[in-house]
Amino acid sequence: MDIELMPDERLDVVNDGVRLIQRKNGLTFGTDALLLAGYIQGTPNKVFAELGGGTGIISLLLLSRKKAKKIYVYEIQEQFADLIKRNTAINAMEDGIEVICRDVRQASAKDTNGEVDLVFSNPPYMRQDSGRKNQYDEKTVARHEVFGTICDFCKAASRLLRYGGDFVAVYPPDRMAELFDAMKKNGIEPKRLTMIFPNLRHRPCLILCSGKKGGKEGMIVTPPLFIKTGEEDSAEYQYIMEHGEFNELYKKV
């Protein structure tokens, strides 16, 4: 199909051959999204929901890998909700993705025709009153908790999930305690944690966590993932790039 781009947009071909329109002044596809897509486990008959879709890349990757049959994507910014629809169309995934342009704090199981199997999110990392504000408002919304804290995102996830359903998020390590607290306050028990390190010399840069609605206490901490060992990508990271998922060391048994 013909693809029309606005002056502030570009077209990229990313992992799995997914075609992705990105806004030059918006947040673009990065490592956190790639790792979250690989961390999520699913099957072709599952129904998911995403809280904060951005360009839609994570949902597009999950559908291309047949980890879900349907994904409801919440995105509050109209320009990005429209962008997700366009990216869905150019990848011929209209049947698998439904965009809901709404504040996640208003999310309801009525939106998704019933409770879903898994909710995932790459939520805003920064408190509203912290950090340097970007000159582009859309980046501020994507990075800062303008439209909801991590507790709001976990509350929305709990409303959408069926009992026993999973919530999966990528988050900064320095706010790990807040993520766990928000999950537990909303009936989601943390069950699996992986810490992501840029290399062997530095502190972790991200965490990946999955929890279960109504789950019992008890969390598996997997081996750490090092993106690089020396100058080269680690074998574990190369596996993710090649297969679109983490290897068995990082999966809950």
Side-chain angles (χ1 to χ4, degrees), residues 103-172:
D103 192 319
V104 299
R105 292 171 293 187
Q106 300 172 349
S108 165
K110 293 180 181 178
D111 304 330
T112 56
N113 297 309
E115 297 168 330
V116 301
D117 300 299
L118 184 146
V119 175
F120 62 94
S121 185
N122 181 6
Y125 290 174
M126 304 177 71
R127 297 178 183 88
Q128 189 171 355
D129 59 353
S130 69
R132 178 182 175 184
K133 299 295 174 63
N134 197 282
Q135 62 177 316
Y136 301 106
D137 288 342
E138 60 194 46
K139 283 189 177 181
T140 298
V141 171
R143 287 178 170 147
H144 292 76
E145 295 176 329
V146 177
F147 292 105
T149 64
I150 188 58
C151 195
D152 292 319
F153 275 69
C154 289
K155 187 178 296 183
S158 186
R159 288 197 302 269
L160 294 172
L161 282 170
R162 62 171 174 79
Y163 187 84
D166 297 308
F167 173 63
V168 189
V170 58
Y171 214 55

